């Protein structure tokens, strides 16, 4: 049983002409004595047989066409595409045996043509069939006006059987047949019948052309809707592709962010190790060397106690660095007090005459700013102790409105900044890079002023960020 509108129309175009011909033949047979003589009745009977043969031939032709091409075959002049299975594509595996998926390009969206209701139409065969059937129907209507019941089938299938340029002429020919039947038969026998024929023809022509025009407009709107749906499908396909690309990009950005975080954490730990463990071990080694060279036992014990204190202090700093905590010196003191204690301890340990000065109005600092400046001061003093051979040093902390500066100066031997040694096993060259990295993390800067024999001045400048 037909279930869709298209299937019902297909059933009508196949069996409807038979039913209408049967009804027209029955009515015409009942009116033989009134409208036809014996000769006309025999001629009408012969034409009915010819019409039946024409329909049988046409139905067989349609059946063969459907068996060969199906209902979805391309209609002549429509450019529709048959539904064919998509070829299977072998996607190459990623190089190196990776599992990266191959991006699938969106399948092109194909526009659908209007449904095919008559197989292989319009075309030469369907045009010939329509012409022969219309001629036979017109002759039968000439013999008996009741055969117009059969002739009206042309109103329904002319637009499907004929090319577009011939559909309106075909409808007008059918309108002539229908007007002749409605005016009392062809040819009109009196001026009144001619007048009636003309009026009825005009009425039929206007109705059929008008309804045909409305049908064309409906078809155009349907085609526009189909094109809009196709465009929306293409847009959805592109959107899906864009979403897939965005998801891949987001995954890549997350991976890069994770790698950047790992690298930043490695740099942080490297700087912390350099500023805590390395400096602490350097101090321990210095004190042990001083203990071994001490002239008496009491003096040696002083250096040994200092070495033990430095070792314990370095161990505590290392543990706090692993937990990403601030320096021990800042746990209970603000930055100026922590720097003052650090300078005093360093001066006592190294024997260098060192002064600490604070200028400007003190203000509370963000923990990260305080920790950065303290680490820079510790590293600068450590470099002074290891490399400069200075007799005097000075540390100045300056509050300057919206920024804070730290200056560490010594009167040591200095060095040529352009000939700074490469990093080696003793950590040479790493301290300056570490100080700059710490300051740049707070959008600050570190500058070094030095020359051979003229001492060294390290200046750190960072924004004054409050907690």
């Amino acid at each position: 049983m037909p279930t869709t509108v298209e299937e019902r129309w297909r059933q009508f175009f196949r069996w409807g002409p038979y039913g209408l011909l049967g009804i027209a033949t029955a009515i015409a047979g009942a009116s033989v004595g009134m409208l036809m003589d014996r000769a006309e009745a025999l001629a009408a009977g012969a034409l009915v047989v010819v019409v039946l043969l024409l329909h049988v031939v046409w139905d067989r032709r349609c059946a063969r066409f459907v068996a060969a091409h199906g209902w979805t075959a391309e209609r002549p002049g429509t450019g529709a595409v048959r539904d064919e299975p998509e070829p299977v594509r072998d996607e190459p595996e990623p190089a190196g045996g990776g599992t990266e998926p191959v991006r699938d390009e969106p399948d092109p969206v194909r526009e659908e043509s209007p449904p095919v209701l008559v197989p292989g139409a319009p075309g030469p065969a369907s045009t010939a069939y329509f012409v022969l059937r219309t001629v036979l129907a017109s002759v039968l209507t000439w013999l008996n006006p009741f055969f117009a019941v059969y002739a009206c089938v042309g109103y329904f299938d002319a637009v499907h059987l004929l090319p577009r340029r011939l559909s309106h002429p075909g409808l007008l020919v059918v309108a002539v047949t229908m007007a002749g039947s409605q005016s009392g038969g062809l040819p009109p026998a009196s001026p009144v019948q001619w007048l009636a024929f003309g009026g009825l023809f005009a009425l039929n022509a206007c109705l059929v052309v008008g309804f045909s025009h409305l049908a064309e407009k409906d078809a155009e709107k349907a085609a526009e809707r189909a094109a809009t749906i196709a465009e929306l499908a293409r847009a959805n396909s592109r959107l899906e592709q864009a979403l897939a690309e965005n998801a891949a990009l987001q995954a890549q950005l997350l991976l890069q962010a994770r790698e950047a975080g790992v690298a930043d954490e490695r740099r942080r730990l490297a700087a912390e190790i350099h500023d805590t463990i390395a400096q602490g071990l350097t101090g321990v080694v210095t004190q042990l060397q001083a203990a071994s060279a001490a002239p008496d036992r009491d003096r040696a014990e002083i250096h040994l106690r200092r070495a033990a204190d430095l070792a314990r202090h370095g161990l505590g700093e290392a543990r706090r660095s692993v937990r990403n905590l601030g320096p021990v010196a800042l746990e209970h003191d603000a930055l100026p007090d922590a720097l003052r204690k650090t300078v005093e301890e360093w001066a006592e340990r190294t024997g260098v005459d060192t002064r600490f000065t604070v200028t400007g109005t003190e203000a509370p600092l963000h923990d990260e700013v305080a920790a950065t400046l303290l680490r820079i001061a510790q590293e600068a003093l450590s470099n002074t102790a290891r490399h400069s051979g200075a007799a005097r040093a000075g540390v100045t902390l300056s509050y300057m409105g919206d920024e804070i500066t730290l200056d560490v100066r010594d009167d040591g031997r200095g060095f040529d900044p352009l000939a700074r040694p490469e990093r080696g096993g003793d950590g040479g060259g790493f301290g300056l890079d570490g100080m700059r990295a710490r300051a740049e993390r707070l959008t600050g800067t570190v500058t070094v002023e030095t020359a051979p024999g003229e001492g060294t001045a390290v200046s750190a400048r960072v924004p004054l960020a409050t907690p």
Side-chain angles (χ1 to χ4, degrees):
M1 293 294 294
T3 57
T4 64
V5 175
E6 288 78 10
E7 290 176 350
R8 293 181 184 277
W9 274 112
R10 290 168 185 168
Q11 294 292 331
F12 173 78
F13 289 143
R14 181 178 182 183
W15 302 110
Y18 291 103
L20 294 176
L21 179 62
I23 295 173
T25 302
I27 298 175
S31 62
V32 168
M34 296 181 293
L35 300 177
M36 293 188 296
D37 55 24
R38 181 178 178 81
E40 291 174 339
L42 292 175
L47 290 176
V48 168
V49 174
V50 172
V51 170
L52 287 173
L53 292 176
L54 175 63
H55 282 293
V56 171
V57 172
W58 174 250
D59 286 343
R60 289 184 177 179
R61 184 263 178 194
C62 291
R64 288 194 303 269
F65 188 91
V66 172
H69 304 286
W71 285 101
T72 58
E74 180 178 345
R75 291 184 63 185
T78 62
V81 180
R82 290 189 61 187
D83 294 334
E84 298 289 348
E86 292 290 338
V88 179
R89 295 180 295 176
D90 296 330
E91 300 290 354
E93 294 184 356
T99 59
E100 181 180 355
V102 178
R103 183 186 300 168
D104 293 333
E105 296 295 335
D107 294 332
V109 179
R110 295 172 294 185
E111 296 184 5
E112 296 182 356
S113 63
V116 177
L117 302 181
V118 180
S126 62
T127 302
Y129 164 72
F130 180 85
V131 171
L132 288 175
R133 192 192 66 189
T134 302
V135 170
L136 292 172
S138 299
V139 174
L140 286 172
T141 304
W142 189 292
L143 296 175
N144 191 313
F146 287 113
F147 277 106
V149 174
Y150 167 70
C152 72
V153 72
Y155 280 158
F156 298 97
D157 59 9
V159 295
H160 298 283
L161 295 174
L162 298 176
R164 186 167 183 175
R165 68 180 185 278
L166 298 178
S167 60
H168 283 177
L171 291 172
L172 292 177
V173 171
V174 176
V176 170
T177 303
M178 298 302 296
S181 171
Q182 294 163 359
S183 62
L186 293 173
S190 66
V192 175
Q193 283 187 330
W194 275 106
L195 183 60
F197 170 77
L200 290 171
F201 172 73
L203 177 62
N204 280 270
C206 291
L207 290 175
V208 72
V209 171
F211 284 119
S212 175
H213 179 72
L214 293 177
E216 289 178 358
K217 291 300 181 182
D218 288 340
E220 290 176 359
K221 291 182 179 179
E224 291 177 358
R225 287 193 294 269
T228 302
I229 293 173
E231 181 61 29
L232 288 175
R234 284 191 291 267
N236 288 336
S237 179
R238 291 192 294 268
L239 179 59
E240 291 176 359
Q241 181 181 359
L243 290 175
E245 292 176 353
N246 288 340
L249 180 59
Q250 183 179 10
Q252 183 179 1
L253 291 177
L254 288 175
L255 178 61
Q256 292 177 351
R258 190 179 299 112
E259 293 175 349
V262 171
D264 185 70
E265 182 66 11
R266 288 175 177 172
R267 288 191 295 269
R268 185 191 70 81
L269 287 176
E272 291 292 337
I273 290 172
H274 179 271
D275 293 343
T276 55
I277 298 177
Q279 292 180 7
L281 291 177
T282 299
V284 170
V285 170
T286 300
Q287 295 300 323
L288 291 177
Q289 290 175 344
S292 64
D296 53 60
R297 183 179 181 84
D298 293 338
R299 190 69 179 175
E301 288 182 354
I302 292 175
H303 289 294
L304 289 176
R305 284 196 300 271
R306 289 178 178 175
D309 292 340
L310 287 173
R312 283 190 292 270
H313 179 78
L315 179 60
E317 290 285 1
R319 288 172 176 171
R320 294 178 67 84
S321 297
V322 170
R323 294 196 296 268
N324 197 18
L325 300 177
V328 174
L330 294 173
E331 187 171 6
H332 302 291
D333 296 323
L335 178 62
D337 294 334
L339 279 175
R340 182 176 290 105
K341 292 180 181 179
T342 299
V343 170
E344 291 175 353
E345 293 173 359
W346 181 84
E348 181 183 359
R349 186 170 64 249
T350 60
V352 178
D353 182 15
T354 308
R355 293 184 178 183
F356 173 70
T357 305
V358 178
T359 64
T361 303
E362 296 185 14
L365 298 175
H366 191 278
D367 293 343
E368 187 68 17
V369 174
T372 297
L373 292 176
L374 179 62
R375 291 302 191 199
I376 291 175
Q378 291 172 338
E379 176 61 21
L381 291 173
S382 177
N383 289 341
T384 299
R386 284 183 294 172
H387 306 299
S388 72
R392 290 182 302 174
V395 177
T396 302
L397 181 66
S398 302
Y399 292 85
M400 304 173 64
D402 58 350
E403 64 180 9
I404 183 170
T405 62
L406 174 71
D407 298 302
V408 181
R409 306 170 307 282
D410 65 67
D411 61 354
R413 64 177 61 94
F415 62 93
D416 183 1
L418 299 180
R420 185 161 55 90
E422 299 292 334
R423 295 180 187 175
D426 60 351
F430 184 87
L432 292 176
D433 291 340
M435 286 188 285
R436 290 192 177 98
R438 285 183 180 277
E440 290 172 357
R441 203 172 295 140
L442 301 179
T443 67
T445 59
V446 170
T447 58
V448 179
E449 296 180 1
T450 183
E454 298 183 5
T456 302
V458 176
S459 178
R461 185 183 300 267
V462 297
L464 196 156
T466 58

